[in-house]
Amino acid sequence: MSTAIEWRRDLHAHPEVGFTEFRTASRVAGALADLGWEVVTGPDAMVAGERLGVPPEAVLDAAYQRAEAQGGDPRFLPAMRGGHTAVVATLKGSGRGRTVGLRADMDALPILESSESGHRPARDGFASRWSGSMHACGHDGHVGMAVELAQRLAADRPDASVTIFFQPAEEGGRGGRAMAPTGLVDGIDLFVAVHLGLSLPTGALIPSNDGLLANSKLRAVFHGRAAHASLAPQDGRNALLGAASATLALQGLTRVAGHQTRVAVGRISGGTSSNIVPDTAEVLLETRADDGAINADLEERARAMLAGAAQMHGLTVEVELIGSVTTARADPSAAQAVTAAGRAAGLRVVEPAADSAVASDDATALMRRVQASGGAATYVGLGADLAGPHHTPGFDFDEAALAPGVDFLEQLIRT
């Protein structure tokens, strides 16, 4: 079994959501340090104040203690306490070649993984051991490829210098924006973010994808007044009713002609019992668009709808931005380099579909920072047949995609 598959399966069995990737990040840092890579972790690898949607302290502490007990690397764990789970590893080249940067995101999703016998991780014994969390997007494969690549490069140092950005909290658009301001990407000549799957078959490669959407994620908390639901309902102010009204209104938010836009409410919760008028309720929602200004307008209108629903029901509402992603466009030179390396590695280079603008990725924050300092960047789709769609309990990808993926990345660096 290859290093990439071994790491992929270990991480799949131990999934950690955004800013709680203590086991994953510390093990990555330890593995690359042992290979001779220069490793930066903790607050030095990200700007703490730029993080959005950081879990509560109690959640962070519980995840940290779990990592301590289940294989986290004690050399690197302490620096990561509090959710500082970014890792930046650099291998200096043997010559005067260019500097190459690669992004590997590490976080899992809050999904209960399928236990059906046809689900390969369950059948083969590497399904999530931590109920309620799951690698359902392929990030475990991204890390696996990056670690195997790090081994190959350490064994035969390339001319180019290489930096791998192991990014936390991609889901929700939080980790990339916190890593970019450190300046650790400044001076990178070529930056590449690779993502597995994306409806591409195994063996296919998209050298650039300009369809990534800008994204804003919001948490709205409605506050009302509790009352007996039968004896004195008129004395109450129903926070859950306000949240429900906002949810329905948001689904009718006017789209913008000529642009890809999305509005979604992913969770609504509140109340404690059927005989109590609920005094608090929470809504988690997001807006997306293929243009940053369009998304900003959608976000502003969504906030207005939340405020209107609160006013309509005599409530107050607090709205917090918990994730934010921008757009980015690939540089032709970067796409050309990827195309050449992909073909040399035996991959079939294809063009993205015209309607590929359906998701977001905060690698765009790193891409823009690289481009602002004079480097070139691109976002690459690496084909992998899927057993189930991204972000679903039955997600799984064809592990046969990992070996050519590592070959491609090595080819890119050595040429």
Side-chain angles (χ1 to χ4, degrees):
M1 186 183 297
S2 71
T3 295
I5 292 177
E6 287 180 356
W7 271 80
R8 182 265 163 147
R9 293 191 174 192
D10 176 74
L11 299 185
H12 194 91
H14 302 89
E16 298 170 299
V17 298
F19 295 130
T20 72
E21 306 96 337
F22 299 110
R23 182 184 185 276
T24 302
S26 65
R27 287 170 64 83
V28 163
L32 269 68
D34 290 343
L35 290 169
W37 288 63
E38 300 173 11
V39 175
V40 178
T41 62
D44 293 333
M46 62 198 315
V47 178
E50 291 294 328
R51 296 176 302 165
L52 296 174
V54 179
E57 186 175 344
V59 173
L60 292 172
D61 286 345
Y64 184 91
Q65 292 168 14
R66 182 179 64 184
E68 279 187 311
Q70 304 230 4
D73 192 317
R75 297 173 294 173
F76 293 96
L77 270 173
M80 298 176 180
R81 186 181 286 276
H84 302 98
T85 46
V87 178
V88 180
T90 300
L91 184 71
K92 297 296 184 182
S94 61
R96 295 185 178 181
R98 63 187 174 181
T99 57
V100 180
L102 306 173
R103 192 287 302 264
D105 39 0
M106 302 182 290
D107 56 324
L109 286 154
I111 294 176
L112 180 65
E113 184 163 14
S114 172
S115 60
E116 294 184 3
S117 59
H119 182 56
R120 187 166 55 94
R123 184 189 68 222
D124 293 351
F126 63 94
S128 173
R129 299 176 188 172
W130 296 340
S131 181
S133 296
M134 175 194 174
H135 272 291
C137 200
H139 299 183
D140 47 347
H142 301 167
V143 176
M145 288 192 296
V147 173
E148 181 169 333
L149 176 69
Q151 289 180 341
R152 294 189 191 182
L153 298 179
D156 182 10
R157 194 175 293 250
D159 288 339
S161 294
V162 183
T163 299
I164 304 177
F165 298 86
F166 292 93
Q167 180 201 314
E170 184 280 322
E171 304 292 353
R174 299 170 289 159
R177 62 171 282 140
M179 294 182 75
T182 63
L184 293 172
V185 295
D186 296 354
I188 296 289
D189 296 315
L190 173 64
F191 178 86
V192 176
V194 178
H195 203 297
L196 285 160
L198 306 181
S199 300
L200 294 169
T202 299
L205 181 79
I206 289 179
S208 65
N209 187 342
D210 293 333
L212 295 171
L213 303 177
N215 179 215
S216 297
K217 295 186 184 296
L218 302 172
R219 176 190 290 120
V221 180
F222 290 84
H223 298 280
R225 184 166 64 237
H228 195 293
S230 179
L231 294 178
Q234 72 282 356
D235 293 339
R237 294 293 181 268
N238 193 321
L240 190 55
L241 186 57
S245 297
T247 298
L248 293 173
L250 287 163
Q251 301 309 308
L253 192 62
T254 303
R255 305 304 193 257
V256 181
H259 289 275
Q260 289 267 13
T261 61
R262 304 284 189 275
V263 178
V265 174
R267 190 177 79 185
I268 177 172
S269 60
T272 57
S273 174
S274 63
N275 61 354
I276 302 172
V277 175
D279 59 356
T280 59
E282 180 184 80
V283 177
L284 297 182
L285 65 139
E286 67 174 23
T287 63
R288 301 186 196 234
D290 57 5
D291 179 273
I294 298 297
N295 182 66
D297 179 64
L298 286 175
E299 179 188 337
E300 182 179 354
R301 287 191 282 147
R303 287 175 178 269
M305 286 184 169
L306 293 165
Q311 183 177 14
M312 182 169 60
H313 294 284
L315 312 168
T316 60
V317 63
E318 301 167 353
V319 182
E320 176 189 4
L321 182 69
I322 59 173
S324 179
V325 176
T326 186
T327 58
R329 297 189 68 84
D331 294 285
S333 61
Q336 290 166 7
V338 166
T339 297
R343 287 174 175 160
L347 295 170
R348 180 169 56 88
V349 177
V350 299
E351 293 299 319
D355 60 348
S356 62
V358 295
S360 308
D361 192 311
D362 70 347
T364 53
L366 298 168
M367 291 173 64
R368 282 186 174 239
R369 180 78 182 211
V370 168
Q371 291 167 332
S373 65
T378 187
Y379 187 90
V380 176
L382 178 63
D385 295 328
L386 302 182
H390 291 277
H391 293 211
T392 65
F395 175 84
D396 187 33
F397 65 84
D398 180 9
E399 291 178 333
L402 298 181
V406 179
D407 292 342
F408 151 67
L409 291 171
E410 184 177 14
Q411 186 73 25
L412 181 70
I413 290 164
R414 295 196 185 279
T415 57

PDB file of all heavy atoms in Angstrom, residues 252-281:
ATOM      1  N   GLY A 252     -36.434  32.975  -1.596  1.00  0.00           N
ATOM      2  CA  GLY A 252     -36.954  33.754  -2.699  1.00  0.00           C
ATOM      3  C   GLY A 252     -36.085  34.939  -3.066  1.00  0.00           C
ATOM      4  O   GLY A 252     -36.512  35.798  -3.850  1.00  0.00           O
ATOM      5  N   LEU A 253     -34.869  34.977  -2.530  1.00  0.00           N
ATOM      6  CA  LEU A 253     -33.963  36.085  -2.825  1.00  0.00           C
ATOM      7  C   LEU A 253     -33.694  36.149  -4.329  1.00  0.00           C
ATOM      8  O   LEU A 253     -33.307  35.156  -4.951  1.00  0.00           O
ATOM      9  CB  LEU A 253     -32.648  35.890  -2.071  1.00  0.00           C
ATOM     10  CG  LEU A 253     -31.682  37.066  -2.028  1.00  0.00           C
ATOM     11  CD1 LEU A 253     -32.312  38.262  -1.319  1.00  0.00           C
ATOM     12  CD2 LEU A 253     -30.402  36.669  -1.301  1.00  0.00           C
ATOM     13  N   THR A 254     -33.925  37.303  -4.916  1.00  0.00           N
ATOM     14  CA  THR A 254     -33.811  37.458  -6.364  1.00  0.00           C
ATOM     15  C   THR A 254     -32.410  37.147  -6.849  1.00  0.00           C
ATOM     16  O   THR A 254     -31.418  37.656  -6.323  1.00  0.00           O
ATOM     17  CB  THR A 254     -34.176  38.897  -6.762  1.00  0.00           C
ATOM     18  OG1 THR A 254     -35.495  39.173  -6.298  1.00  0.00           O
ATOM     19  CG2 THR A 254     -34.122  39.063  -8.273  1.00  0.00           C
ATOM     20  N   ARG A 255     -32.322  36.295  -7.855  1.00  0.00           N
ATOM     21  CA  ARG A 255     -31.047  35.979  -8.464  1.00  0.00           C
ATOM     22  C   ARG A 255     -30.658  37.093  -9.437  1.00  0.00           C
ATOM     23  O   ARG A 255     -31.446  37.991  -9.726  1.00  0.00           O
ATOM     24  CB  ARG A 255     -31.106  34.630  -9.194  1.00  0.00           C
ATOM     25  CG  ARG A 255     -31.567  33.469  -8.320  1.00  0.00           C
ATOM     26  CD  ARG A 255     -30.714  33.298  -7.065  1.00  0.00           C
ATOM     27  NE  ARG A 255     -30.958  32.024  -6.414  1.00  0.00           N
ATOM     28  CZ  ARG A 255     -31.692  31.866  -5.317  1.00  0.00           C
ATOM     29  NH1 ARG A 255     -32.259  32.919  -4.765  1.00  0.00           N
ATOM     30  NH2 ARG A 255     -31.842  30.683  -4.774  1.00  0.00           N
ATOM     31  N   VAL A 256     -29.457  37.016  -9.960  1.00  0.00           N
ATOM     32  CA  VAL A 256     -28.932  38.069 -10.830  1.00  0.00           C
ATOM     33  C   VAL A 256     -28.745  37.503 -12.230  1.00  0.00           C
ATOM     34  O   VAL A 256     -27.995  36.536 -12.421  1.00  0.00           O
ATOM     35  CB  VAL A 256     -27.594  38.615 -10.287  1.00  0.00           C
ATOM     36  CG1 VAL A 256     -27.068  39.722 -11.192  1.00  0.00           C
ATOM     37  CG2 VAL A 256     -27.779  39.126  -8.866  1.00  0.00           C
ATOM     38  N   ALA A 257     -29.400  38.120 -13.208  1.00  0.00           N
ATOM     39  CA  ALA A 257     -29.317  37.639 -14.583  1.00  0.00           C
ATOM     40  C   ALA A 257     -27.881  37.689 -15.080  1.00  0.00           C
ATOM     41  O   ALA A 257     -27.153  38.654 -14.837  1.00  0.00           O
ATOM     42  CB  ALA A 257     -30.206  38.501 -15.487  1.00  0.00           C
ATOM     43  N   GLY A 258     -27.470  36.610 -15.745  1.00  0.00           N
ATOM     44  CA  GLY A 258     -26.134  36.561 -16.318  1.00  0.00           C
ATOM     45  C   GLY A 258     -25.062  36.103 -15.354  1.00  0.00           C
ATOM     46  O   GLY A 258     -23.882  36.062 -15.723  1.00  0.00           O
ATOM     47  N   HIS A 259     -25.439  35.754 -14.125  1.00  0.00           N
ATOM     48  CA  HIS A 259     -24.453  35.331 -13.130  1.00  0.00           C
ATOM     49  C   HIS A 259     -24.896  34.035 -12.461  1.00  0.00           C
ATOM     50  O   HIS A 259     -26.088  33.753 -12.326  1.00  0.00           O
ATOM     51  CB  HIS A 259     -24.266  36.404 -12.050  1.00  0.00           C
ATOM     52  CG  HIS A 259     -23.548  37.620 -12.534  1.00  0.00           C
ATOM     53  ND1 HIS A 259     -22.183  37.716 -12.560  1.00  0.00           N
ATOM     54  CD2 HIS A 259     -24.021  38.798 -13.026  1.00  0.00           C
ATOM     55  CE1 HIS A 259     -21.831  38.900 -13.038  1.00  0.00           C
ATOM     56  NE2 HIS A 259     -22.928  39.577 -13.331  1.00  0.00           N
ATOM     57  N   GLN A 260     -23.907  33.268 -12.041  1.00  0.00           N
ATOM     58  CA  GLN A 260     -24.154  32.088 -11.227  1.00  0.00           C
ATOM     59  C   GLN A 260     -24.317  32.548  -9.788  1.00  0.00           C
ATOM     60  O   GLN A 260     -23.412  33.161  -9.211  1.00  0.00           O
ATOM     61  CB  GLN A 260     -22.962  31.128 -11.321  1.00  0.00           C
ATOM     62  CG  GLN A 260     -22.833  30.432 -12.658  1.00  0.00           C
ATOM     63  CD  GLN A 260     -23.546  29.087 -12.661  1.00  0.00           C
ATOM     64  OE1 GLN A 260     -24.321  28.770 -11.767  1.00  0.00           O
ATOM     65  NE2 GLN A 260     -23.270  28.284 -13.674  1.00  0.00           N
ATOM     66  N   THR A 261     -25.470  32.284  -9.181  1.00  0.00           N
ATOM     67  CA  THR A 261     -25.696  32.659  -7.785  1.00  0.00           C
ATOM     68  C   THR A 261     -26.346  31.503  -7.034  1.00  0.00           C
ATOM     69  O   THR A 261     -27.047  30.681  -7.627  1.00  0.00           O
ATOM     70  CB  THR A 261     -26.592  33.896  -7.665  1.00  0.00           C
ATOM     71  OG1 THR A 261     -27.873  33.617  -8.257  1.00  0.00           O
ATOM     72  CG2 THR A 261     -25.974  35.101  -8.345  1.00  0.00           C
ATOM     73  N   ARG A 262     -26.104  31.464  -5.737  1.00  0.00           N
ATOM     74  CA  ARG A 262     -26.693  30.449  -4.871  1.00  0.00           C
ATOM     75  C   ARG A 262     -27.051  31.096  -3.531  1.00  0.00           C
ATOM     76  O   ARG A 262     -26.300  31.945  -3.029  1.00  0.00           O
ATOM     77  CB  ARG A 262     -25.720  29.288  -4.595  1.00  0.00           C
ATOM     78  CG  ARG A 262     -25.171  28.579  -5.828  1.00  0.00           C
ATOM     79  CD  ARG A 262     -26.186  27.653  -6.447  1.00  0.00           C
ATOM     80  NE  ARG A 262     -25.581  26.832  -7.482  1.00  0.00           N
ATOM     81  CZ  ARG A 262     -25.425  27.199  -8.747  1.00  0.00           C
ATOM     82  NH1 ARG A 262     -25.814  28.408  -9.134  1.00  0.00           N
ATOM     83  NH2 ARG A 262     -24.875  26.387  -9.630  1.00  0.00           N
ATOM     84  N   VAL A 263     -28.174  30.683  -2.947  1.00  0.00           N
ATOM     85  CA  VAL A 263     -28.539  31.063  -1.592  1.00  0.00           C
ATOM     86  C   VAL A 263     -29.054  29.798  -0.915  1.00  0.00           C
ATOM     87  O   VAL A 263     -29.880  29.080  -1.492  1.00  0.00           O
ATOM     88  CB  VAL A 263     -29.630  32.152  -1.561  1.00  0.00           C
ATOM     89  CG1 VAL A 263     -29.999  32.480  -0.116  1.00  0.00           C
ATOM     90  CG2 VAL A 263     -29.161  33.409  -2.278  1.00  0.00           C
ATOM     91  N   ALA A 264     -28.553  29.500   0.261  1.00  0.00           N
ATOM     92  CA  ALA A 264     -28.950  28.263   0.932  1.00  0.00           C
ATOM     93  C   ALA A 264     -28.990  28.452   2.441  1.00  0.00           C
ATOM     94  O   ALA A 264     -28.121  29.112   3.015  1.00  0.00           O
ATOM     95  CB  ALA A 264     -27.981  27.129   0.582  1.00  0.00           C
ATOM     96  N   VAL A 265     -29.996  27.886   3.059  1.00  0.00           N
ATOM     97  CA  VAL A 265     -30.063  27.765   4.512  1.00  0.00           C
ATOM     98  C   VAL A 265     -29.775  26.314   4.852  1.00  0.00           C
ATOM     99  O   VAL A 265     -30.478  25.408   4.394  1.00  0.00           O
ATOM    100  CB  VAL A 265     -31.444  28.182   5.061  1.00  0.00           C
ATOM    101  CG1 VAL A 265     -31.522  27.906   6.561  1.00  0.00           C
ATOM    102  CG2 VAL A 265     -31.710  29.650   4.779  1.00  0.00           C
ATOM    103  N   GLY A 266     -28.720  26.088   5.634  1.00  0.00           N
ATOM    104  CA  GLY A 266     -28.311  24.724   5.928  1.00  0.00           C
ATOM    105  C   GLY A 266     -28.784  24.205   7.262  1.00  0.00           C
ATOM    106  O   GLY A 266     -28.862  22.995   7.477  1.00  0.00           O
ATOM    107  N   ARG A 267     -29.130  25.133   8.174  1.00  0.00           N
ATOM    108  CA  ARG A 267     -29.611  24.676   9.489  1.00  0.00           C
ATOM    109  C   ARG A 267     -30.475  25.761  10.122  1.00  0.00           C
ATOM    110  O   ARG A 267     -30.167  26.943  10.031  1.00  0.00           O
ATOM    111  CB  ARG A 267     -28.446  24.350  10.418  1.00  0.00           C
ATOM    112  CG  ARG A 267     -28.890  23.636  11.705  1.00  0.00           C
ATOM    113  CD  ARG A 267     -27.710  23.265  12.573  1.00  0.00           C
ATOM    114  NE  ARG A 267     -27.204  24.411  13.331  1.00  0.00           N
ATOM    115  CZ  ARG A 267     -26.119  24.374  14.096  1.00  0.00           C
ATOM    116  NH1 ARG A 267     -25.397  23.261  14.156  1.00  0.00           N
ATOM    117  NH2 ARG A 267     -25.731  25.440  14.759  1.00  0.00           N
ATOM    118  N   ILE A 268     -31.544  25.318  10.751  1.00  0.00           N
ATOM    119  CA  ILE A 268     -32.376  26.190  11.566  1.00  0.00           C
ATOM    120  C   ILE A 268     -32.687  25.433  12.843  1.00  0.00           C
ATOM    121  O   ILE A 268     -33.046  24.251  12.806  1.00  0.00           O
ATOM    122  CB  ILE A 268     -33.656  26.615  10.823  1.00  0.00           C
ATOM    123  CG1 ILE A 268     -34.548  27.480  11.719  1.00  0.00           C
ATOM    124  CG2 ILE A 268     -34.423  25.427  10.297  1.00  0.00           C
ATOM    125  CD1 ILE A 268     -35.728  28.089  10.986  1.00  0.00           C
ATOM    126  N   SER A 269     -32.513  26.073  13.987  1.00  0.00           N
ATOM    127  CA  SER A 269     -32.734  25.382  15.258  1.00  0.00           C
ATOM    128  C   SER A 269     -33.199  26.383  16.304  1.00  0.00           C
ATOM    129  O   SER A 269     -32.934  27.586  16.206  1.00  0.00           O
ATOM    130  CB  SER A 269     -31.440  24.701  15.735  1.00  0.00           C
ATOM    131  OG  SER A 269     -30.407  25.654  15.921  1.00  0.00           O
ATOM    132  N   GLY A 270     -33.888  25.880  17.307  1.00  0.00           N
ATOM    133  CA  GLY A 270     -34.342  26.745  18.382  1.00  0.00           C
ATOM    134  C   GLY A 270     -35.414  26.083  19.212  1.00  0.00           C
ATOM    135  O   GLY A 270     -36.007  25.081  18.820  1.00  0.00           O
ATOM    136  N   GLY A 271     -35.647  26.655  20.383  1.00  0.00           N
ATOM    137  CA  GLY A 271     -36.697  26.153  21.249  1.00  0.00           C
ATOM    138  C   GLY A 271     -36.291  24.949  22.060  1.00  0.00           C
ATOM    139  O   GLY A 271     -35.254  24.315  21.813  1.00  0.00           O
ATOM    140  N   THR A 272     -37.133  24.635  23.055  1.00  0.00           N
ATOM    141  CA  THR A 272     -36.847  23.514  23.955  1.00  0.00           C
ATOM    142  C   THR A 272     -38.021  22.568  24.128  1.00  0.00           C
ATOM    143  O   THR A 272     -37.841  21.387  24.385  1.00  0.00           O
ATOM    144  CB  THR A 272     -36.438  24.041  25.345  1.00  0.00           C
ATOM    145  OG1 THR A 272     -37.489  24.878  25.864  1.00  0.00           O
ATOM    146  CG2 THR A 272     -35.138  24.830  25.272  1.00  0.00           C
ATOM    147  N   SER A 273     -39.237  23.079  23.988  1.00  0.00           N
ATOM    148  CA  SER A 273     -40.408  22.247  24.238  1.00  0.00           C
ATOM    149  C   SER A 273     -41.605  22.820  23.497  1.00  0.00           C
ATOM    150  O   SER A 273     -41.657  24.027  23.202  1.00  0.00           O
ATOM    151  CB  SER A 273     -40.703  22.189  25.747  1.00  0.00           C
ATOM    152  OG  SER A 273     -41.920  21.493  26.005  1.00  0.00           O
ATOM    153  N   SER A 274     -42.596  21.974  23.213  1.00  0.00           N
ATOM    154  CA  SER A 274     -43.765  22.429  22.463  1.00  0.00           C
ATOM    155  C   SER A 274     -44.631  23.394  23.263  1.00  0.00           C
ATOM    156  O   SER A 274     -45.429  24.141  22.680  1.00  0.00           O
ATOM    157  CB  SER A 274     -44.608  21.218  22.045  1.00  0.00           C
ATOM    158  OG  SER A 274     -45.099  20.536  23.197  1.00  0.00           O
ATOM    159  N   ASN A 275     -44.512  23.424  24.592  1.00  0.00           N
ATOM    160  CA  ASN A 275     -45.367  24.297  25.401  1.00  0.00           C
ATOM    161  C   ASN A 275     -44.655  25.557  25.882  1.00  0.00           C
ATOM    162  O   ASN A 275     -45.108  26.234  26.795  1.00  0.00           O
ATOM    163  CB  ASN A 275     -45.950  23.536  26.596  1.00  0.00           C
ATOM    164  CG  ASN A 275     -44.876  23.011  27.543  1.00  0.00           C
ATOM    165  OD1 ASN A 275     -43.688  23.125  27.250  1.00  0.00           O
ATOM    166  ND2 ASN A 275     -45.300  22.432  28.661  1.00  0.00           N
ATOM    167  N   ILE A 276     -43.536  25.882  25.240  1.00  0.00           N
ATOM    168  CA  ILE A 276     -42.790  27.094  25.587  1.00  0.00           C
ATOM    169  C   ILE A 276     -42.544  27.890  24.313  1.00  0.00           C
ATOM    170  O   ILE A 276     -42.015  27.367  23.332  1.00  0.00           O
ATOM    171  CB  ILE A 276     -41.447  26.771  26.249  1.00  0.00           C
ATOM    172  CG1 ILE A 276     -41.640  25.924  27.513  1.00  0.00           C
ATOM    173  CG2 ILE A 276     -40.671  28.046  26.574  1.00  0.00           C
ATOM    174  CD1 ILE A 276     -40.349  25.413  28.101  1.00  0.00           C
ATOM    175  N   VAL A 277     -42.924  29.161  24.315  1.00  0.00           N
ATOM    176  CA  VAL A 277     -42.592  30.031  23.194  1.00  0.00           C
ATOM    177  C   VAL A 277     -41.071  30.192  23.170  1.00  0.00           C
ATOM    178  O   VAL A 277     -40.483  30.658  24.149  1.00  0.00           O
ATOM    179  CB  VAL A 277     -43.271  31.403  23.339  1.00  0.00           C
ATOM    180  CG1 VAL A 277     -42.810  32.348  22.222  1.00  0.00           C
ATOM    181  CG2 VAL A 277     -44.792  31.251  23.317  1.00  0.00           C
ATOM    182  N   PRO A 278     -40.400  29.773  22.100  1.00  0.00           N
ATOM    183  CA  PRO A 278     -38.929  29.794  22.085  1.00  0.00           C
ATOM    184  C   PRO A 278     -38.380  31.218  22.070  1.00  0.00           C
ATOM    185  O   PRO A 278     -38.830  32.061  21.285  1.00  0.00           O
ATOM    186  CB  PRO A 278     -38.563  29.043  20.803  1.00  0.00           C
ATOM    187  CG  PRO A 278     -39.776  29.140  19.946  1.00  0.00           C
ATOM    188  CD  PRO A 278     -40.949  29.193  20.861  1.00  0.00           C
ATOM    189  N   ASP A 279     -37.407  31.455  22.947  1.00  0.00           N
ATOM    190  CA  ASP A 279     -36.836  32.799  23.033  1.00  0.00           C
ATOM    191  C   ASP A 279     -35.543  32.953  22.240  1.00  0.00           C
ATOM    192  O   ASP A 279     -35.031  34.065  22.092  1.00  0.00           O
ATOM    193  CB  ASP A 279     -36.604  33.205  24.486  1.00  0.00           C
ATOM    194  CG  ASP A 279     -35.671  32.269  25.230  1.00  0.00           C
ATOM    195  OD1 ASP A 279     -35.242  31.245  24.650  1.00  0.00           O
ATOM    196  OD2 ASP A 279     -35.350  32.558  26.403  1.00  0.00           O
ATOM    197  N   THR A 280     -34.985  31.860  21.711  1.00  0.00           N
ATOM    198  CA  THR A 280     -33.800  31.958  20.852  1.00  0.00           C
ATOM    199  C   THR A 280     -33.926  30.976  19.692  1.00  0.00           C
ATOM    200  O   THR A 280     -34.559  29.918  19.817  1.00  0.00           O
ATOM    201  CB  THR A 280     -32.488  31.647  21.611  1.00  0.00           C
ATOM    202  OG1 THR A 280     -32.553  30.320  22.146  1.00  0.00           O
ATOM    203  CG2 THR A 280     -32.238  32.659  22.725  1.00  0.00           C
ATOM    204  N   ALA A 281     -33.318  31.322  18.598  1.00  0.00           N
ATOM    205  CA  ALA A 281     -33.264  30.443  17.427  1.00  0.00           C
ATOM    206  C   ALA A 281     -32.059  30.834  16.590  1.00  0.00           C
ATOM    207  O   ALA A 281     -31.643  32.000  16.589  1.00  0.00           O
ATOM    208  CB  ALA A 281     -34.542  30.533  16.608  1.00  0.00           C
TER     209      ALA A 281
END
